[in-house]
Amino acid sequence: MRRITLRQTIALSACAAALASSALPRAWAGPPAAAKPLTEAEAERFVLELVNRDRKKAGLSAVALDATASKAGARHARDMAAKGFTGHLGSDGSTPEQRYSESGGSDFVQENAACLFDTVERDLERKPLFSADKLARLHQLFMAEVPPNDGHRRNILNPLHNRLGVGVAQPSEVSQPCLSEEFVDDYGDYAPLPREAKGNTTLDVEGTIAEPLTFGGVGLGRTPLPEPLPRERLNGKSYRIPAPDTLYFPAGFKTPKPVKVDGRHFSIELELGKKPLPGSYAVSVWAKRAGSPELFMISMRTLVVR
């Protein structure tokens, strides 16, 4: 199962054309029983059941519903529904990890998204009710993907994921619901970081890694500040999880500054400098399995320097 490593970041394409035209497999027996329209809370639970049904078929453990990731997912689903697009970048230029961080998340998130493609602005239903069948069809489009264009399917079946946020929205005047699945890797507890920083800011990056993983490293990277996207660029905007510009490792490894490690606890102070460049700064935490040298990301939080 592919996952984020130091040499490779997953590109989770929006696959707008595939979502717009893919047919359901003939062998599909339909969604779990849900005859009546669903409230927003019921729709979240329903999508969770769909995900766990498919993970169980693949011999994987179930994921638990995550309220913080659901908050981030709802923000994105409503944005897509209001602007009539499907993609991983929001109409304001926001990324999945930015929306998750701003919702209070501290772990690592990967997103599946499906909505409309006409970029028509619409109001949202104030008291939405959702069709179980249409939600199941959106999810099944993810599962029907075939290699090498199967990023959404692999996201659903990633064994590292252990939590799930679900965002749903219903635009007015059309019967198509919009869906965001936010998969979370929850393997640690981390001290909070500021949402915004200025010159001479010191970031106290620390936390505790949960078994069976062990600490690997801390990353820091910068990307340009997000900007609103023009209408013609909303659909199918490819998105690649940003790799860190600098990685910090424990003493004994080649590193710009050693990370202090005491058992499962780690800490490091990162200086942004007197005049840090404006941008969105991503602080990542990397871990590894016992006996394996491969590092993979388990936390990514963003903060802004203006």
Side-chain angles (χ1 to χ4, degrees), residues 12-16 18-20 22-25 47 50-51 53-54 76 80 86-88 110-115 117 134-147 149-157 164-167 176-183:
L12 294 177
S13 168
C15 296
L19 287 173
S22 295
L24 292 173
V47 174
L50 294 174
V51 168
R53 177 199 63 184
D54 292 331
H76 191 50
M80 291 191 296
T86 293
H88 294 299
Q110 292 177 269
E111 178 180 88
N112 290 348
C115 190
F117 309 94
K134 290 178 180 178
L135 288 173
R137 286 174 179 270
L138 290 179
H139 174 79
Q140 184 59 24
L141 287 174
F142 297 147
M143 288 299 297
E145 292 175 343
V146 295
N149 300 313
D150 61 339
H152 298 93
R153 184 177 189 276
R154 286 183 285 108
N155 203 14
I156 294 167
L157 301 181
L164 172 70
V166 179
Q176 177 62 49
C178 296
L179 171 65
S180 178
E181 297 174 344
E182 308 289 332
F183 291 90

Short mmCIF file of all heavy atoms in Angstrom, two decimals, residues 12-16 18-20 22-25 47 50-51 53-54 76 80 86-88 110-115 117 134-147 149-157 164-167 176-183:
data_model
loop_
_atom_site.label_atom_id
_atom_site.label_comp_id
_atom_site.label_asym_id
_atom_site.label_seq_id
_atom_site.Cartn_x
_atom_site.Cartn_y
_atom_site.Cartn_z
N LEU A 12 -3.21 13.05 -4.96
CA LEU A 12 -4.61 12.62 -4.95
C LEU A 12 -5.38 13.53 -5.91
O LEU A 12 -5.92 14.55 -5.53
CB LEU A 12 -5.18 12.71 -3.53
CG LEU A 12 -4.56 11.75 -2.54
CD1 LEU A 12 -5.14 11.97 -1.16
CD2 LEU A 12 -4.79 10.32 -2.98
N SER A 13 -5.43 13.14 -7.17
CA SER A 13 -6.08 13.95 -8.19
C SER A 13 -7.57 14.01 -7.96
O SER A 13 -8.18 13.07 -7.48
CB SER A 13 -5.81 13.35 -9.57
OG SER A 13 -6.64 13.94 -10.54
N ALA A 14 -8.19 15.10 -8.31
CA ALA A 14 -9.64 15.22 -8.17
C ALA A 14 -10.37 14.31 -9.14
O ALA A 14 -11.53 13.94 -8.90
CB ALA A 14 -10.06 16.67 -8.41
N CYS A 15 -9.76 13.94 -10.24
CA CYS A 15 -10.36 13.01 -11.20
C CYS A 15 -11.75 13.48 -11.62
O CYS A 15 -12.72 12.72 -11.61
CB CYS A 15 -10.43 11.59 -10.63
SG CYS A 15 -8.83 10.88 -10.30
N ALA A 16 -11.86 14.72 -12.01
CA ALA A 16 -13.16 15.28 -12.32
C ALA A 16 -13.82 14.55 -13.49
O ALA A 16 -15.01 14.24 -13.46
CB ALA A 16 -13.03 16.76 -12.65
N ALA A 18 -13.39 11.51 -14.53
CA ALA A 18 -13.81 10.16 -14.13
C ALA A 18 -15.08 10.20 -13.30
O ALA A 18 -15.99 9.40 -13.48
CB ALA A 18 -12.70 9.47 -13.36
N LEU A 19 -15.15 11.15 -12.37
CA LEU A 19 -16.34 11.25 -11.54
C LEU A 19 -17.55 11.67 -12.36
O LEU A 19 -18.68 11.33 -12.04
CB LEU A 19 -16.10 12.26 -10.41
CG LEU A 19 -15.17 11.79 -9.31
CD1 LEU A 19 -14.88 12.94 -8.36
CD2 LEU A 19 -15.76 10.63 -8.55
N ALA A 20 -17.31 12.42 -13.42
CA ALA A 20 -18.43 12.90 -14.22
C ALA A 20 -18.99 11.82 -15.14
O ALA A 20 -20.17 11.82 -15.47
CB ALA A 20 -17.99 14.10 -15.05
N SER A 22 -17.89 8.10 -15.12
CA SER A 22 -17.72 6.69 -14.80
C SER A 22 -19.06 6.03 -14.54
O SER A 22 -19.96 6.60 -13.93
CB SER A 22 -16.83 6.53 -13.55
OG SER A 22 -15.54 6.99 -13.82
N ALA A 23 -19.19 4.79 -14.99
CA ALA A 23 -20.40 4.01 -14.71
C ALA A 23 -20.13 3.09 -13.54
O ALA A 23 -19.01 2.67 -13.30
CB ALA A 23 -20.78 3.19 -15.95
N LEU A 24 -21.19 2.74 -12.83
CA LEU A 24 -21.04 1.82 -11.72
C LEU A 24 -20.81 0.41 -12.22
O LEU A 24 -21.39 0.00 -13.23
CB LEU A 24 -22.30 1.85 -10.84
CG LEU A 24 -22.53 3.15 -10.08
CD1 LEU A 24 -23.89 3.08 -9.39
CD2 LEU A 24 -21.44 3.38 -9.06
N PRO A 25 -19.99 -0.39 -11.53
CA PRO A 25 -19.80 -1.77 -11.93
C PRO A 25 -21.13 -2.54 -11.90
O PRO A 25 -21.95 -2.34 -11.00
CB PRO A 25 -18.83 -2.31 -10.86
CG PRO A 25 -18.17 -1.10 -10.30
CD PRO A 25 -19.18 -0.02 -10.38
N VAL A 47 -21.82 7.31 5.29
CA VAL A 47 -20.56 7.25 4.53
C VAL A 47 -19.51 6.48 5.32
O VAL A 47 -18.73 5.70 4.75
CB VAL A 47 -20.08 8.66 4.17
CG1 VAL A 47 -18.70 8.62 3.52
CG2 VAL A 47 -21.07 9.35 3.24
N LEU A 50 -20.08 2.92 4.68
CA LEU A 50 -19.60 2.52 3.35
C LEU A 50 -18.10 2.28 3.36
O LEU A 50 -17.60 1.29 2.80
CB LEU A 50 -19.95 3.61 2.33
CG LEU A 50 -21.42 3.86 2.03
CD1 LEU A 50 -21.56 5.07 1.11
CD2 LEU A 50 -22.08 2.65 1.41
N VAL A 51 -17.37 3.21 3.96
CA VAL A 51 -15.90 3.10 4.02
C VAL A 51 -15.50 1.84 4.78
O VAL A 51 -14.65 1.05 4.32
CB VAL A 51 -15.29 4.35 4.66
CG1 VAL A 51 -13.81 4.13 4.98
CG2 VAL A 51 -15.46 5.55 3.74
N ARG A 53 -17.26 -0.83 5.36
CA ARG A 53 -17.65 -2.03 4.62
C ARG A 53 -16.57 -2.43 3.63
O ARG A 53 -16.17 -3.61 3.56
CB ARG A 53 -18.96 -1.77 3.88
CG ARG A 53 -19.44 -2.92 3.00
CD ARG A 53 -20.44 -2.45 1.96
NE ARG A 53 -19.85 -1.48 1.03
CZ ARG A 53 -20.55 -0.86 0.08
NH1 ARG A 53 -21.85 -1.05 -0.03
NH2 ARG A 53 -19.94 -0.01 -0.74
N ASP A 54 -16.04 -1.45 2.89
CA ASP A 54 -15.02 -1.75 1.89
C ASP A 54 -13.68 -2.10 2.53
O ASP A 54 -12.93 -2.93 2.01
CB ASP A 54 -14.87 -0.57 0.93
CG ASP A 54 -16.11 -0.38 0.06
OD1 ASP A 54 -16.79 -1.37 -0.22
OD2 ASP A 54 -16.38 0.77 -0.31
N HIS A 76 -15.18 22.07 3.15
CA HIS A 76 -14.84 21.88 1.74
C HIS A 76 -16.06 21.45 0.94
O HIS A 76 -16.25 21.92 -0.20
CB HIS A 76 -13.73 20.85 1.62
CG HIS A 76 -13.14 20.78 0.24
ND1 HIS A 76 -12.72 21.89 -0.45
CD2 HIS A 76 -12.93 19.72 -0.59
CE1 HIS A 76 -12.25 21.53 -1.64
NE2 HIS A 76 -12.38 20.23 -1.75
N MET A 80 -17.45 23.49 -2.32
CA MET A 80 -17.66 22.89 -3.64
C MET A 80 -19.11 23.03 -4.08
O MET A 80 -19.39 23.35 -5.25
CB MET A 80 -17.24 21.42 -3.62
CG MET A 80 -15.75 21.17 -3.47
SD MET A 80 -15.29 19.44 -3.77
CE MET A 80 -16.15 18.60 -2.42
N THR A 86 -15.40 20.38 -8.35
CA THR A 86 -14.81 19.23 -7.67
C THR A 86 -13.29 19.36 -7.72
O THR A 86 -12.71 19.46 -8.79
CB THR A 86 -15.23 17.90 -8.34
OG1 THR A 86 -16.62 17.70 -8.15
CG2 THR A 86 -14.48 16.73 -7.72
N GLY A 87 -12.66 19.37 -6.56
CA GLY A 87 -11.21 19.48 -6.49
C GLY A 87 -10.75 19.41 -5.06
O GLY A 87 -11.57 19.37 -4.13
N HIS A 88 -9.45 19.41 -4.85
CA HIS A 88 -8.89 19.36 -3.50
C HIS A 88 -8.46 20.73 -3.00
O HIS A 88 -8.28 20.92 -1.80
CB HIS A 88 -7.71 18.39 -3.45
CG HIS A 88 -8.12 16.97 -3.69
ND1 HIS A 88 -9.00 16.30 -2.88
CD2 HIS A 88 -7.78 16.10 -4.67
CE1 HIS A 88 -9.19 15.07 -3.34
NE2 HIS A 88 -8.47 14.94 -4.43
N GLN A 110 -5.65 13.02 4.50
CA GLN A 110 -5.70 12.87 3.05
C GLN A 110 -7.16 12.84 2.63
O GLN A 110 -8.00 12.25 3.31
CB GLN A 110 -4.98 11.60 2.60
CG GLN A 110 -3.47 11.66 2.80
CD GLN A 110 -2.81 10.36 2.42
OE1 GLN A 110 -2.63 9.49 3.25
NE2 GLN A 110 -2.45 10.23 1.17
N GLU A 111 -7.46 13.44 1.49
CA GLU A 111 -8.84 13.76 1.14
C GLU A 111 -9.32 13.11 -0.16
O GLU A 111 -8.58 13.05 -1.14
CB GLU A 111 -8.95 15.28 1.02
CG GLU A 111 -10.30 15.82 0.61
CD GLU A 111 -10.27 17.32 0.51
OE1 GLU A 111 -9.93 17.84 -0.58
OE2 GLU A 111 -10.56 17.98 1.54
N ASN A 112 -10.56 12.65 -0.14
CA ASN A 112 -11.32 12.32 -1.35
C ASN A 112 -12.44 13.34 -1.48
O ASN A 112 -13.05 13.72 -0.46
CB ASN A 112 -11.95 10.92 -1.27
CG ASN A 112 -10.92 9.81 -1.34
OD1 ASN A 112 -9.76 10.05 -1.68
ND2 ASN A 112 -11.34 8.61 -1.03
N ALA A 113 -12.73 13.80 -2.69
CA ALA A 113 -13.76 14.82 -2.87
C ALA A 113 -14.54 14.58 -4.16
O ALA A 113 -13.97 14.17 -5.17
CB ALA A 113 -13.13 16.22 -2.88
N ALA A 114 -15.85 14.86 -4.11
CA ALA A 114 -16.70 14.72 -5.29
C ALA A 114 -17.87 15.69 -5.17
O ALA A 114 -18.49 15.79 -4.11
CB ALA A 114 -17.21 13.30 -5.43
N CYS A 115 -18.16 16.39 -6.27
CA CYS A 115 -19.27 17.33 -6.25
C CYS A 115 -19.74 17.58 -7.68
O CYS A 115 -19.93 16.65 -8.45
CB CYS A 115 -18.86 18.62 -5.54
SG CYS A 115 -20.22 19.77 -5.21
N PHE A 117 -19.48 20.12 -11.48
CA PHE A 117 -18.42 20.54 -12.40
C PHE A 117 -18.77 21.76 -13.23
O PHE A 117 -17.99 22.18 -14.07
CB PHE A 117 -18.07 19.38 -13.35
CG PHE A 117 -17.81 18.09 -12.64
CD1 PHE A 117 -18.83 17.17 -12.45
CD2 PHE A 117 -16.56 17.81 -12.12
CE1 PHE A 117 -18.59 15.98 -11.76
CE2 PHE A 117 -16.32 16.64 -11.43
CZ PHE A 117 -17.33 15.72 -11.25
N LYS A 134 -27.39 8.24 -3.73
CA LYS A 134 -26.48 9.14 -4.44
C LYS A 134 -25.14 9.30 -3.71
O LYS A 134 -24.10 9.41 -4.35
CB LYS A 134 -27.16 10.48 -4.66
CG LYS A 134 -28.28 10.39 -5.69
CD LYS A 134 -29.01 11.70 -5.88
CE LYS A 134 -30.10 11.54 -6.92
NZ LYS A 134 -30.88 12.79 -7.11
N LEU A 135 -25.17 9.30 -2.38
CA LEU A 135 -23.92 9.32 -1.64
C LEU A 135 -23.13 8.04 -1.89
O LEU A 135 -21.90 8.07 -2.06
CB LEU A 135 -24.19 9.48 -0.15
CG LEU A 135 -24.66 10.86 0.32
CD1 LEU A 135 -25.05 10.80 1.79
CD2 LEU A 135 -23.59 11.92 0.10
N ALA A 136 -23.82 6.91 -1.91
CA ALA A 136 -23.15 5.63 -2.15
C ALA A 136 -22.56 5.58 -3.55
O ALA A 136 -21.49 5.00 -3.76
CB ALA A 136 -24.13 4.48 -1.94
N ARG A 137 -23.23 6.19 -4.52
CA ARG A 137 -22.71 6.20 -5.88
C ARG A 137 -21.43 7.04 -5.98
O ARG A 137 -20.50 6.67 -6.70
CB ARG A 137 -23.77 6.71 -6.86
CG ARG A 137 -24.88 5.70 -7.11
CD ARG A 137 -26.00 6.26 -7.95
NE ARG A 137 -27.00 5.24 -8.18
CZ ARG A 137 -27.01 4.39 -9.21
NH1 ARG A 137 -26.04 4.47 -10.12
NH2 ARG A 137 -27.94 3.48 -9.36
N LEU A 138 -21.39 8.15 -5.27
CA LEU A 138 -20.15 8.94 -5.26
C LEU A 138 -19.01 8.14 -4.65
O LEU A 138 -17.89 8.10 -5.19
CB LEU A 138 -20.36 10.23 -4.47
CG LEU A 138 -21.26 11.29 -5.09
CD1 LEU A 138 -21.38 12.50 -4.17
CD2 LEU A 138 -20.74 11.72 -6.46
N HIS A 139 -19.28 7.50 -3.52
CA HIS A 139 -18.24 6.68 -2.88
C HIS A 139 -17.82 5.54 -3.79
O HIS A 139 -16.62 5.21 -3.88
CB HIS A 139 -18.76 6.14 -1.55
CG HIS A 139 -17.82 5.18 -0.89
ND1 HIS A 139 -16.71 5.58 -0.18
CD2 HIS A 139 -17.80 3.81 -0.86
CE1 HIS A 139 -16.06 4.52 0.26
NE2 HIS A 139 -16.70 3.44 -0.13
N GLN A 140 -18.78 4.92 -4.48
CA GLN A 140 -18.45 3.80 -5.34
C GLN A 140 -17.60 4.21 -6.53
O GLN A 140 -16.80 3.43 -7.04
CB GLN A 140 -19.72 3.10 -5.82
CG GLN A 140 -19.48 1.85 -6.66
CD GLN A 140 -18.68 0.78 -5.92
OE1 GLN A 140 -18.69 0.76 -4.68
NE2 GLN A 140 -18.03 -0.10 -6.66
N LEU A 141 -17.76 5.47 -6.98
CA LEU A 141 -16.89 5.96 -8.05
C LEU A 141 -15.43 5.98 -7.60
O LEU A 141 -14.53 5.70 -8.39
CB LEU A 141 -17.33 7.36 -8.48
CG LEU A 141 -18.62 7.43 -9.30
CD1 LEU A 141 -19.01 8.88 -9.53
CD2 LEU A 141 -18.45 6.70 -10.62
N PHE A 142 -15.20 6.30 -6.34
CA PHE A 142 -13.84 6.21 -5.80
C PHE A 142 -13.36 4.77 -5.84
O PHE A 142 -12.24 4.48 -6.27
CB PHE A 142 -13.79 6.71 -4.35
CG PHE A 142 -14.16 8.14 -4.14
CD1 PHE A 142 -14.81 8.53 -2.98
CD2 PHE A 142 -13.84 9.11 -5.08
CE1 PHE A 142 -15.13 9.86 -2.76
CE2 PHE A 142 -14.17 10.44 -4.87
CZ PHE A 142 -14.82 10.82 -3.71
N MET A 143 -14.20 3.84 -5.39
CA MET A 143 -13.82 2.43 -5.30
C MET A 143 -13.67 1.78 -6.67
O MET A 143 -12.98 0.77 -6.81
CB MET A 143 -14.83 1.66 -4.46
CG MET A 143 -14.77 1.96 -2.97
SD MET A 143 -13.17 1.53 -2.24
CE MET A 143 -13.14 -0.25 -2.51
N ALA A 144 -14.31 2.34 -7.68
CA ALA A 144 -14.27 1.75 -9.02
C ALA A 144 -13.02 2.16 -9.80
O ALA A 144 -12.81 1.69 -10.92
CB ALA A 144 -15.52 2.13 -9.80
N GLU A 145 -12.19 3.01 -9.24
CA GLU A 145 -10.98 3.44 -9.94
C GLU A 145 -10.03 2.26 -10.17
O GLU A 145 -9.99 1.32 -9.39
CB GLU A 145 -10.26 4.52 -9.13
CG GLU A 145 -11.02 5.83 -9.03
CD GLU A 145 -10.35 6.83 -8.12
OE1 GLU A 145 -9.48 6.43 -7.31
OE2 GLU A 145 -10.69 8.02 -8.20
N VAL A 146 -9.26 2.35 -11.26
CA VAL A 146 -8.31 1.29 -11.60
C VAL A 146 -6.92 1.91 -11.72
O VAL A 146 -6.77 3.08 -12.08
CB VAL A 146 -8.69 0.58 -12.91
CG1 VAL A 146 -10.02 -0.15 -12.75
CG2 VAL A 146 -8.79 1.58 -14.07
N PRO A 147 -5.87 1.12 -11.39
CA PRO A 147 -4.50 1.63 -11.47
C PRO A 147 -4.17 2.07 -12.89
O PRO A 147 -4.67 1.49 -13.86
CB PRO A 147 -3.66 0.41 -11.05
CG PRO A 147 -4.61 -0.43 -10.24
CD PRO A 147 -5.94 -0.24 -10.88
N ASN A 149 -4.63 5.23 -12.02
CA ASN A 149 -5.44 6.38 -11.60
C ASN A 149 -6.44 5.96 -10.53
O ASN A 149 -7.65 6.10 -10.69
CB ASN A 149 -6.16 6.97 -12.81
CG ASN A 149 -5.20 7.43 -13.89
OD1 ASN A 149 -4.23 8.12 -13.60
ND2 ASN A 149 -5.47 7.06 -15.12
N ASP A 150 -5.91 5.46 -9.43
CA ASP A 150 -6.78 4.94 -8.37
C ASP A 150 -6.42 5.53 -7.01
O ASP A 150 -6.51 4.85 -5.99
CB ASP A 150 -6.72 3.41 -8.33
CG ASP A 150 -5.31 2.89 -8.04
OD1 ASP A 150 -4.34 3.63 -8.26
OD2 ASP A 150 -5.19 1.74 -7.59
N GLY A 151 -6.05 6.81 -6.99
CA GLY A 151 -5.63 7.43 -5.74
C GLY A 151 -6.72 7.45 -4.68
O GLY A 151 -6.45 7.25 -3.50
N HIS A 152 -7.98 7.69 -5.09
CA HIS A 152 -9.06 7.74 -4.11
C HIS A 152 -9.33 6.35 -3.52
O HIS A 152 -9.55 6.22 -2.31
CB HIS A 152 -10.34 8.27 -4.78
CG HIS A 152 -10.21 9.66 -5.31
ND1 HIS A 152 -9.85 9.92 -6.60
CD2 HIS A 152 -10.38 10.87 -4.71
CE1 HIS A 152 -9.80 11.23 -6.79
NE2 HIS A 152 -10.12 11.83 -5.65
N ARG A 153 -9.29 5.34 -4.37
CA ARG A 153 -9.52 3.98 -3.88
C ARG A 153 -8.43 3.56 -2.91
O ARG A 153 -8.69 2.98 -1.85
CB ARG A 153 -9.57 3.01 -5.06
CG ARG A 153 -9.91 1.57 -4.67
CD ARG A 153 -10.01 0.68 -5.91
NE ARG A 153 -10.52 -0.62 -5.58
CZ ARG A 153 -9.80 -1.64 -5.12
NH1 ARG A 153 -8.48 -1.47 -4.96
NH2 ARG A 153 -10.35 -2.81 -4.84
N ARG A 154 -7.17 3.87 -3.25
CA ARG A 154 -6.06 3.52 -2.36
C ARG A 154 -6.14 4.30 -1.05
O ARG A 154 -5.71 3.82 -0.01
CB ARG A 154 -4.72 3.75 -3.07
CG ARG A 154 -4.43 2.68 -4.11
CD ARG A 154 -3.08 2.85 -4.77
NE ARG A 154 -3.10 3.94 -5.73
CZ ARG A 154 -2.50 5.10 -5.55
NH1 ARG A 154 -1.85 5.34 -4.43
NH2 ARG A 154 -2.56 6.04 -6.46
N ASN A 155 -6.69 5.50 -1.11
CA ASN A 155 -6.88 6.27 0.10
C ASN A 155 -7.87 5.56 1.04
O ASN A 155 -7.63 5.44 2.24
CB ASN A 155 -7.40 7.66 -0.26
CG ASN A 155 -7.11 8.69 0.81
OD1 ASN A 155 -6.30 8.48 1.71
ND2 ASN A 155 -7.78 9.83 0.70
N ILE A 156 -8.96 5.08 0.48
CA ILE A 156 -9.96 4.35 1.29
C ILE A 156 -9.35 3.10 1.90
O ILE A 156 -9.65 2.74 3.05
CB ILE A 156 -11.17 4.00 0.42
CG1 ILE A 156 -11.91 5.28 -0.01
CG2 ILE A 156 -12.13 3.07 1.16
CD1 ILE A 156 -12.92 5.07 -1.12
N LEU A 157 -8.47 2.44 1.16
CA LEU A 157 -7.92 1.15 1.59
C LEU A 157 -6.50 1.27 2.16
O LEU A 157 -5.78 0.27 2.21
CB LEU A 157 -7.94 0.17 0.42
CG LEU A 157 -9.32 -0.11 -0.19
CD1 LEU A 157 -9.21 -1.12 -1.32
CD2 LEU A 157 -10.30 -0.59 0.87
N LEU A 164 -11.76 8.96 10.29
CA LEU A 164 -12.37 9.49 9.07
C LEU A 164 -13.26 10.68 9.41
O LEU A 164 -14.09 10.61 10.32
CB LEU A 164 -13.21 8.42 8.37
CG LEU A 164 -14.04 8.90 7.18
CD1 LEU A 164 -13.14 9.26 6.01
CD2 LEU A 164 -15.06 7.83 6.76
N GLY A 165 -13.08 11.76 8.68
CA GLY A 165 -14.01 12.87 8.72
C GLY A 165 -14.87 12.84 7.47
O GLY A 165 -14.38 12.53 6.38
N VAL A 166 -16.14 13.16 7.61
CA VAL A 166 -17.07 13.16 6.48
C VAL A 166 -17.73 14.52 6.39
O VAL A 166 -18.29 15.02 7.38
CB VAL A 166 -18.15 12.07 6.62
CG1 VAL A 166 -19.11 12.12 5.43
CG2 VAL A 166 -17.52 10.69 6.72
N GLY A 167 -17.66 15.14 5.22
CA GLY A 167 -18.35 16.39 4.97
C GLY A 167 -19.36 16.21 3.85
O GLY A 167 -19.03 15.62 2.80
N GLN A 176 -27.91 16.69 -6.72
CA GLN A 176 -26.62 16.04 -6.53
C GLN A 176 -25.98 16.48 -5.21
O GLN A 176 -25.70 17.66 -5.03
CB GLN A 176 -25.68 16.39 -7.68
CG GLN A 176 -24.28 15.83 -7.55
CD GLN A 176 -24.26 14.32 -7.51
OE1 GLN A 176 -24.88 13.67 -8.34
NE2 GLN A 176 -23.58 13.75 -6.54
N PRO A 177 -25.72 15.56 -4.27
CA PRO A 177 -25.01 15.93 -3.05
C PRO A 177 -23.52 16.08 -3.33
O PRO A 177 -23.00 15.61 -4.35
CB PRO A 177 -25.26 14.75 -2.12
CG PRO A 177 -25.42 13.58 -3.04
CD PRO A 177 -26.10 14.13 -4.28
N CYS A 178 -22.84 16.76 -2.42
CA CYS A 178 -21.39 16.91 -2.51
C CYS A 178 -20.77 16.24 -1.30
O CYS A 178 -21.30 16.32 -0.18
CB CYS A 178 -21.00 18.38 -2.58
SG CYS A 178 -21.63 19.20 -4.07
N LEU A 179 -19.62 15.58 -1.51
CA LEU A 179 -19.04 14.71 -0.49
C LEU A 179 -17.54 14.94 -0.37
O LEU A 179 -16.83 15.07 -1.36
CB LEU A 179 -19.29 13.24 -0.87
CG LEU A 179 -18.58 12.16 -0.05
CD1 LEU A 179 -19.05 12.17 1.39
CD2 LEU A 179 -18.78 10.80 -0.70
N SER A 180 -17.08 14.98 0.88
CA SER A 180 -15.65 15.02 1.17
C SER A 180 -15.34 13.96 2.22
O SER A 180 -15.99 13.91 3.27
CB SER A 180 -15.25 16.40 1.69
OG SER A 180 -13.88 16.46 2.02
N GLU A 181 -14.38 13.08 1.93
CA GLU A 181 -13.91 12.07 2.87
C GLU A 181 -12.50 12.46 3.32
O GLU A 181 -11.60 12.57 2.48
CB GLU A 181 -13.89 10.68 2.22
CG GLU A 181 -15.25 10.19 1.79
CD GLU A 181 -15.18 8.87 1.02
OE1 GLU A 181 -14.07 8.50 0.56
OE2 GLU A 181 -16.23 8.22 0.87
N GLU A 182 -12.34 12.69 4.62
CA GLU A 182 -11.05 13.14 5.16
C GLU A 182 -10.44 12.02 6.01
O GLU A 182 -10.87 11.77 7.13
CB GLU A 182 -11.25 14.40 6.02
CG GLU A 182 -12.04 15.51 5.34
CD GLU A 182 -11.28 16.20 4.24
OE1 GLU A 182 -10.04 16.23 4.31
OE2 GLU A 182 -11.93 16.72 3.31
N PHE A 183 -9.45 11.33 5.46
CA PHE A 183 -8.82 10.20 6.15
C PHE A 183 -7.66 10.68 7.02
O PHE A 183 -6.80 11.44 6.56
CB PHE A 183 -8.33 9.18 5.14
CG PHE A 183 -9.46 8.48 4.43
CD1 PHE A 183 -9.98 8.99 3.24
CD2 PHE A 183 -10.01 7.32 4.95
CE1 PHE A 183 -11.03 8.36 2.59
CE2 PHE A 183 -11.06 6.69 4.31
CZ PHE A 183 -11.57 7.20 3.13
#
